[in-house]
Amino acid sequence: MTVVKICGVRTVEAAVTAAENGADIIGMIFAPSPRLIDINTAQKIARAVVPAHTRQDKADVLDRECKMPASEYFKASSDKLLSCGRPLLCGVFQNQDLDHILSVARQVPLDLVQLHGTEPVQMARQIPVPVIKVFHVGADFTLDTAGLLETGYHAVILLDTKVPAAGAQQGGHGVQFDWTVARSLSDRNVPFLMAGGLTPDNVEEAIKVARPWGVDVSSGVETDRAKDPAKIQAFINNTKAA
């Protein structure tokens, strides 16, 4: 069944809605963004969606020294993420200082860190929780993109649309990329998350075309820039039914 990540969550209510409806990963943005969240609110979300008795059941990092082909490595690392059987809390960062990332991850606490900028994949080894690393899909994207299939660093590959007009602030713009590009990765049996312009109305088709391990949505479950409970529920239901 396809994994669901609801990203850009800023309220306890939205996080609980996502968790109760079966979201696997709840994303909170700590980078400059209209969806920026503060530590205090993130901690309230953590307390609400991660019951105290399950906090020891954490997402684990696959042995980063293991030698596997990319398809085996990313399958093993993505499977390992979900082994704790509860929604995972992911903090999204973009070209930010490592000390800041580590501080936020510790304070919330976070299960995952998402690097959504141009950070080198090697940075993942300095982060003690599993890392989702974005690769922006533009006209120049290929499966030979530097770092994409390197093993021993990030646990999960995220493909998102490159939006040149957005400058440094990538992500959350509701712009699709060609899903057949993502399909070329699944054809190599490499699991990945896919974002970019997904909505409750198109997610089933996106899954049919691209065959991702998981889908990631932010603006597609919003109304007037606020998370919409009905859209969150519909997105999750449609994903799980695909």
Side-chain angles (χ1 to χ4, degrees):
M1 192 172 290
T2 307
V3 166
V4 177
K5 177 170 175 278
I6 303 293
C7 201
V9 170
R10 290 182 291 163
T11 67
V12 170
E13 292 76 16
V16 169
T17 296
E20 289 182 345
N21 282 280
D24 302 285
I25 304 172
I26 295 171
M28 298 175 287
I29 297 176
F30 297 96
S33 164
R35 301 178 183 89
L36 177 67
I37 193 171
D38 61 82
I39 294 290
N40 184 55
T41 303
Q43 289 173 330
K44 290 178 181 177
I45 287 172
R47 289 193 293 269
V49 302
V50 184
H53 68 277
T54 67
R55 287 184 186 161
Q56 69 273 22
D57 301 322
K58 297 182 179 180
D60 212 352
V61 178
L62 191 68
D63 180 3
R64 286 167 168 163
E65 299 298 334
C66 68
K67 303 298 182 185
M68 296 181 182
S71 59
E72 294 179 22
Y73 175 84
F74 287 109
K75 183 180 187 308
S77 60
S78 57
D79 287 349
K80 198 172 182 68
L81 289 186
L82 303 181
S83 62
C84 64
R86 62 165 174 82
L88 301 175
L89 298 176
C90 177
V92 180
F93 302 86
Q94 190 170 58
N95 299 325
Q96 288 163 281
D97 183 75
L98 177 64
D99 288 342
H100 173 67
I101 294 171
L102 297 180
S103 175
V104 173
R106 182 176 60 253
Q107 289 180 72
V108 175
L110 298 173
D111 296 299
L112 309 169
V113 161
Q114 179 173 317
L115 299 177
H116 207 79
T118 57
E119 305 91 348
V121 296
Q122 291 81 6
M123 188 176 186
R125 285 210 177 184
Q126 299 173 279
I127 298 171
V129 298
V131 169
I132 298 171
K133 180 69 182 86
V134 74
F135 295 87
H136 293 108
V137 180
D140 58 347
F141 178 85
T142 74
L143 296 188
D144 295 322
T145 294
L148 178 71
L149 296 175
E150 285 194 50
T151 61
Y153 300 106
H154 47 294
V156 177
I157 295 165
L158 169 61
L159 300 183
D160 196 3
T161 311
K162 185 176 183 178
V163 183
Q169 188 184 312
Q170 295 291 316
H173 298 290
V175 179
Q176 293 180 26
F177 64 86
D178 181 355
W179 296 332
T180 62
V181 173
R183 177 62 176 261
S184 65
L185 191 56
S186 62
D187 284 345
R188 291 195 184 185
N189 297 315
V190 176
F192 60 93
L193 271 171
M194 184 171 77
L198 298 177
T199 70
D201 295 328
N202 69 15
V203 68
E204 289 181 89
E205 181 65 18
I207 292 169
K208 179 181 177 181
V209 173
R211 298 192 309 186
W213 170 76
V215 289
D216 186 341
V217 65
S218 184
S219 63
V221 291
E222 293 178 348
T223 298
D224 298 328
R225 296 202 171 200
K227 289 293 183 284
D228 184 321
K231 289 183 179 179
I232 291 174
Q233 183 175 12
F235 186 89
I236 295 171
N237 288 345
N238 292 349
T239 298
K240 299 299 184 181

